[in-house]
C-alpha cells in the first residue's frame, strides 16, 4: 500500500513539473511553485515614507535573472523608475526619486519571475499602499526678525527650524545674505535646529539686507523645504551728535551750566559715562555727574565753572547706540564762560523781611529751652493763641518750663490779646509781601533753572544762579551744600522745588549744612518750596537763606538737644512753622 502512495505522489509531481504548476492545487507544494510570502509595505499600508524601498519576499529562492524591472513594477499615476535587486529570497525596488506625497502606489511581481528550478510565478502578486503628507522643514524664527530696524552692525544672523536639519545642506548656496545685489561673505554654522551666519566684516550702517534660505536646505532624512524662505532687516545708523548745549564756540556761558549733547538715535545708557562724556578746562578734568535720558546725555559739573575760561567737552566713540553701534569718532566742542559775574537777582521781601519766622494763618510753635530769633520778629495772621512757647521783650505767649523761645524783635498776631487789630494789620501786610516774593522766585517768574544732580544738592559746590528740581523735590543728604559767590557779595541763588525740601537725614550724625564761601551772603539765598520744608530732623546743622514754603517749615524734632541754626528766614504761607531748639539769625 505504501508503495502505491509513493508512486502516486511521484506521478503528481512529474505532472506538476511538466505543466508548470498550472493547477492551483499544487501551488503550495514546497519547492514546486514560487509564491510571494510577504511585502514591504504591507497591502493597503498608509503614510508610507517617501524614501521607502519596496520589497517582496518569496517562499523559495528565485532565479535572480528573472527579478528585473519587467517582473517587479511599481506605478503611481504612471510607472516609476527604480533599481531592482535580489538578495536571499527578497526582491527590492528602490525608486530613483522620492515618492510623491499623498499618493496611492501599486506594486506588482509579474509571472515572469521564476525560481531556480525554472518554475514561474503562476499568478501576478499585486499590492497597494499610500504615502502620507510629508513633514517638511520650515523656518519658525529668524533673528533679526523680518523688517527689523536698528540692527547692530556686528549682528550674527540666524534661523531656527522646526526639526533637525542636515548640516551639509546648510551652506553658502542655501543660506544667502545680500545687501541689494551684493552678496555678503560670512561663516555658516549649525547647532541644534538653528543655523547661523556670522558676517566676515561688519555690516554697513543704515542699509537694507535680505536673507534667503533656499529649498535646497534639507532635514536629517533628506526632505527639502517646500520653498525658499526670505526676510529683510535694516541696520542701525551710525549715531551722531546732532546738537549741544552750549553750542560749539558759545560765549558767556553761565557758571552753573549743565552741558548736554543730543544724539541722532537712541543710545545705550550704559555707554554714556564719565569715561565717554568728559569736560576739561585746559588739561584739567572737571568733576561732574553724567546722566542719559531720551536721546540726551548731560554732564552736571560738581562745582561751579570758572569765570572767563574756555572749556572743552568730548563725547568719545566709546558711546554706542542701543544696538551697539559706536560713534565713528570722538565728538569735541568748546565754549567760554562769562567774563563777569552775572547781574544780581533782586528779590523784594517787603515787610516780610523783618520776620525771622512767619506762620501764615496757622501760627508758630516752639519746643525747647534754646530757641531764639535774633534780629527779627515773629508773626502770623492767626489768633495769638497759635503762638506757643515764645516771648518778646514785653509779652509771653504760652511758654512752659520746657518750651521757652526768645524773640528779640516783636510778635505780631491777630486778637485776642496780646494780639491787636494793629498787629494783625502788620501781619497781614507781611503775608501779602511774602506771597508776592514767593511768586517772584517761582519757575514762572524765574525760568531756566538747572538741576545739577537730579534733586540731590549734597556734596555740590554751586555758583550763583537759578536751580530747579526736575523731580519736584530738593534734598541735601549726601553731604553739605557749598555756595560759591566767587568774590561777588551780591551773588544770588534761587532754588525752586514744586514739592518738598529736605535737609539732613535720620540719626545723630545726620545733620547737613549749607556753607557759603567767597563773600556769599545768606540774605541772597532763596528757597521756593511748593509744599513743606524739613530742616535737619535729627537736630543740628546750619541752614542758609530765606525759606518761603507754601505748607510749613519744621526744624529738628521734639526731644533733640542739638541746636539747629538758620541764617535766614522761615516763612510759611498757609501752615505753621515749628522749631525745636532752633536759632534763627535774620540777615540785614
Amino acid at each position: 500500500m505504501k508503495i502505491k502512495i509513493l508512486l502516486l505522489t511521484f506521478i503528481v509531481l512529474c505532472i506538476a513539473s511538466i505543466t508548470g504548476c498550472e493547477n492551483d492545487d499544487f501551488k503550495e507544494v514546497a519547492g514546486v511553485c514560487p509564491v510571494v510570502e510577504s511585502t514591504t509595505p504591507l497591502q493597503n499600508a498608509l503614510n508610507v515614507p517617501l524614501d521607502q524601498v519596496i520589497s517582496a519576499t518569496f517562499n523559495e529562492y528565485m532565479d535572480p535573472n528573472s527579478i528585473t524591472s519587467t517582473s517587479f513594477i511599481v506605478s503611481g499615476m504612471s510607472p516609476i523608475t527604480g533599481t531592482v535587486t535580489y538578495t536571499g529570497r527578497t526582491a527590492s525596488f528602490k525608486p530613483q526619486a522620492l515618492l510623491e506625497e499623498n499618493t496611492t502606489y501599486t506594486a506588482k511581481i509579474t509571472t515572469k519571475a521564476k525560481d531556480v528550478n525554472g518554475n514561474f510565478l503562476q499568478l501576478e502578486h499585486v499590492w497597494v499602499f499610500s504615502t502620507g503628507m510629508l513633514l517638511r522643514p520650515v523656518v519658525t524664527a529668524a533673528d533679526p526678525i523680518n523688517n527689523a530696524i536698528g540692527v547692530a552692525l556686528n549682528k550674527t544672523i540666524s534661523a531656527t527650524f522646526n526639526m533637525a536639519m542636515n548640516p551639509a545642506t546648510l551652506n553658502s548656496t542655501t543660506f544667502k545674505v545680500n545687501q541689494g545685489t551684493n552678496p555678503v561673505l560670512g561663516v555658516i554654522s549649525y547647532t541644534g535646529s538653528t543655523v547661523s551666519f556670522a558676517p566676515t566684516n561688519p555690516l554697513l550702517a543704515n542699509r537694507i539686507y535680505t536673507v534667503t534660505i533656499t529649498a535646497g536646505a534639507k532635514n536629517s532624512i533628506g526632505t527639502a523645504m517646500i520653498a525658499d524662505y526670505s526676510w529683510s532687516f535694516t541696520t542701525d545708523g551710525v549715531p551722531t551728535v546732532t546738537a549741544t548745549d552750549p553750542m560749539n564756540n558759545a560765549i558767556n556761558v553761565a557758571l552753573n551750566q549743565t552741558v548736554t549733547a543730543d544724539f541722532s538715535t537712541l543710545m545705550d545708557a550704559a555707554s554714556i559715562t564719565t569715561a565717554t562724556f568728559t569736560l576739561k578746562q585746559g588739561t584739567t578734568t572737571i568733576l561732574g555727574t553724567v546722566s542719559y535720558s531720551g536721546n540726551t546725555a548731560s554732564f552736571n559739573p560738581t562745582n561751579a565753572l570758572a569765570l572767563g575760561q574756555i572749556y572743552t567737552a568730548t563725547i568719545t566713540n566709546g558711546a554706542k547706540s542701543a544696538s551697539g553701534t559706536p560713534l565713528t569718532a570722538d565728538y569735541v566742542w568748546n565754549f567760554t564762560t562769562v567774563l563777569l559775574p552775572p547781574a544780581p537777582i533782586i528779590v523784594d521781601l517787603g515787610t516780610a523781611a523783618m520776620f525771622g519766622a512767619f506762620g501764615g494763618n496757622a501760627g508758630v510753635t516752639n519746643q525747647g529751652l534754646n530757641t531764639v530769633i535774633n534780629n527779627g520778629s515773629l508773626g502770623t495772621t492767626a489768633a495769638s493763641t497759635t503762638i506757643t512757647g515764645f516771648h518778646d521783650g514785653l509779652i509771653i505767649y504760652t511758654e512752659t518750663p520746657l518750651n521757652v523761645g526768645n524773640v528779640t524783635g516783636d510778635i505780631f498776631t491777630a486778637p485776642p490779646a496780646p494780639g491787636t487789630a494793629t498787629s494783625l494789620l502788620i501781619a497781614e501786610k507781611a503775608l501779602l509781601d511774602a506771597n508776592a516774593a514767593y511768586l517772584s522766585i517761582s519757575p514762572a517768574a524765574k525760568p531756566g533753572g538747572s538741576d545739577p544732580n537730579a534733586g540731590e544738592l549734597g556734596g555740590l559746590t554751586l555758583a550763583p544762579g537759578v536751580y530747579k528740581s526736575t523731580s519736584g523735590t530738593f534734598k541735601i543728604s549726601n553731604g553739605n551744600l557749598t555756595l560759591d559767590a566767587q568774590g561777588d557779595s551780591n551773588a544770588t541763588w534761587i532754588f525752586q522745588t514744586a514739592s518738598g525740601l529736605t535737609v539732613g537725614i535720620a540719626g545723630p550724625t545726620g545733620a547737613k549744612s549749607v556753607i557759603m564761601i567767597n563773600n556769599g551772603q545768606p540774605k541772597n539765598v532763596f528757597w521756593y518750596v511748593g509744599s513743606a520744608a524739613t530742616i535737619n530732623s535729627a537736630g543740628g546743622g546750619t541752614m542758609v537763606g530765606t525759606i518761603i514754603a507754601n505748607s510749613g517749615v519744621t526744624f529738628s524734632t521734639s526731644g533733640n538737644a542739638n541746636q539747629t541754626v538758620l541764617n535766614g528766614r522761615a516763612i510759611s504761607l498757609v501752615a505753621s512753622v515749628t522749631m525745636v531748639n532752633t536759632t534763627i539769625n535774620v540777615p540785614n
Side-chain angles (χ1 to χ4, degrees):
M1 187 65 176
K2 291 181 179 179
I3 294 174
K4 289 181 179 181
I5 293 173
L6 292 173
L7 180 60
L8 180 59
T9 301
F10 175 74
I11 292 170
V12 170
L13 292 174
C14 288
I15 293 171
S17 176
I18 293 170
T19 61
C21 299
E22 293 179 357
N23 189 332
D24 287 348
D25 294 337
F26 304 113
K27 285 164 53 175
E28 299 304 325
V29 180
V32 176
C33 298
V35 294
V36 174
E37 287 185 329
S38 62
T39 63
T40 302
L42 296 173
Q43 167 72 351
N44 295 323
L46 301 176
N47 295 316
V48 174
L50 303 190
D51 59 350
Q52 178 70 57
V53 175
I54 304 140
S55 65
T57 300
F58 297 91
N59 65 328
E60 59 178 312
Y61 291 102
M62 303 296 286
D63 178 1
N65 294 324
S66 73
I67 307 299
T68 67
S69 59
T70 61
S71 61
F72 196 161
I73 301 170
V74 179
S75 300
M77 299 298 293
S78 59
I80 64 174
T81 58
T83 302
V84 177
T85 58
Y86 178 75
T87 303
R89 292 187 293 116
T90 299
S92 300
F93 182 99
K94 183 177 182 180
Q96 185 174 357
L98 292 176
L99 301 177
E100 297 292 331
E101 297 178 58
N102 202 27
T103 301
T104 299
Y105 286 88
T106 300
K108 179 171 29 177
I109 304 293
T110 73
T111 56
K112 292 181 181 181
K114 62 182 179 180
D115 63 16
V116 293
N117 294 318
N119 297 314
F120 288 92
L121 199 68
Q122 294 300 295
L123 294 172
E124 291 183 338
H125 188 89
V126 180
W127 72 105
V128 296
F129 59 88
S130 298
T131 55
M133 295 298 292
L134 184 64
L135 183 60
R136 292 182 180 274
V138 295
V139 175
T140 58
D143 184 23
I145 62 174
N146 189 34
N147 296 323
I149 59 174
V151 175
L153 306 187
N154 62 348
K155 180 67 176 178
T156 294
I157 304 159
S158 67
T160 300
F161 296 91
N162 64 331
M163 60 182 66
M165 301 294 288
N166 179 358
T169 66
L170 298 170
N171 49 52
S172 59
T173 62
T174 59
F175 195 149
K176 302 176 182 179
V177 180
N178 284 77
Q179 194 280 300
T181 59
N182 301 317
V184 178
L185 298 178
V187 177
I188 296 171
S189 59
Y190 177 76
T191 303
S193 58
T194 299
V195 60
S196 300
F197 180 98
T200 303
N201 300 308
L203 303 177
L204 300 177
N206 201 27
R207 297 287 196 280
I208 297 175
Y209 285 82
T210 301
V211 187
T212 301
I213 298 179
T214 73
K218 299 179 180 180
N219 66 12
S220 57
I221 63 172
T223 305
M225 296 171 57
I226 196 168
D228 294 353
Y229 183 88
S230 296
W231 75 99
S232 299
F233 61 86
T234 303
T235 50
D236 190 26
V238 175
T240 59
V241 175
T242 58
T244 63
D245 183 22
M247 293 170 32
N248 189 33
N249 295 321
I251 59 174
N252 294 321
V253 173
L255 305 184
N256 64 343
Q257 175 72 46
T258 296
V259 184
T260 65
D262 295 340
F263 295 93
S264 60
T265 187
L266 187 67
M267 301 295 285
D268 176 8
S271 73
I272 309 296
T273 67
T274 53
T276 58
F277 192 167
T278 62
L279 183 66
K280 291 186 176 182
Q281 194 278 302
T283 59
T284 302
T285 298
I286 305 302
L287 298 179
T289 303
V290 172
S291 59
Y292 177 75
S293 178
N295 281 7
T296 301
S298 300
F299 182 100
N300 293 308
T302 302
N303 301 314
L305 304 180
L307 288 168
Q309 299 297 315
I310 297 175
Y311 288 84
T312 301
T314 302
I315 305 283
T316 76
N317 64 357
K320 301 177 181 179
S321 70
S323 61
T325 304
L327 275 71
T328 55
D330 294 354
Y331 187 89
V332 181
W333 73 105
N334 301 289
F335 60 87
T336 304
T337 53
V338 293
L339 297 175
L340 298 173
I345 301 173
I346 305 300
V347 178
D348 184 7
L349 292 172
T351 61
M354 71 178 184
F355 288 90
F358 195 96
N361 57 8
V364 183
T365 299
N366 165 55
Q367 298 178 42
L369 295 173
N370 297 314
T371 295
V372 59
I373 296 179
N374 292 316
N375 195 39
S377 296
L378 193 70
T380 180
T381 60
S384 60
T385 54
T386 61
I387 301 291
T388 61
F390 287 100
H391 67 271
D392 58 17
L394 298 174
I395 302 169
I396 296 175
Y397 288 75
T398 60
E399 287 184 336
T400 70
L402 297 179
N403 300 318
V404 177
N406 180 29
V407 180
T408 61
D410 297 317
I411 299 176
F412 297 91
T413 74
T420 66
T422 300
S423 67
L424 174 59
L425 289 174
I426 294 173
E428 288 176 338
K429 180 62 168 65
L431 182 57
L432 288 174
D433 290 347
N435 268 293
Y438 180 74
L439 294 175
S440 75
I441 61 174
S442 69
K446 295 289 187 293
S450 64
D451 189 346
N453 191 29
E456 174 58 71
L457 301 176
L460 301 182
T461 298
L462 298 180
V466 178
Y467 298 90
K468 177 186 176 183
S469 171
T470 302
S471 66
T473 61
F474 268 136
K475 297 185 296 182
I476 304 176
S477 60
N478 288 347
N480 297 329
L481 168 63
T482 300
L483 303 181
D484 184 359
Q486 301 178 338
D488 179 12
S489 60
N490 292 317
T492 303
W493 293 260
I494 295 176
F495 296 90
Q496 302 163 338
T497 167
S499 185
L501 167 65
T502 302
V503 178
I505 57 176
T509 61
K512 299 295 181 286
S513 297
V514 176
I515 300 168
M516 306 208 72
I517 61 174
N518 295 327
N519 288 340
Q521 303 295 317
K523 66 179 181 179
N524 295 327
V525 180
F526 299 90
W527 300 86
Y528 170 95
V529 182
S531 59
T534 301
I535 311 301
N536 287 322
S537 60
T542 299
M543 182 61 181
V544 169
T546 296
I547 304 168
I548 308 179
N550 184 71
S551 306
V553 184
T554 301
F555 293 89
S556 189
T557 51
S558 180
N560 285 328
N562 291 336
Q563 197 74 7
T564 302
V565 176
L566 168 64
N567 293 323
R569 302 171 183 86
I571 299 174
S572 174
L573 302 180
V574 296
S576 64
V577 175
T578 300
M579 290 175 271
V580 177
N581 291 324
T582 302
T583 298
I584 297 181
N585 298 309
V586 180
N588 293 320

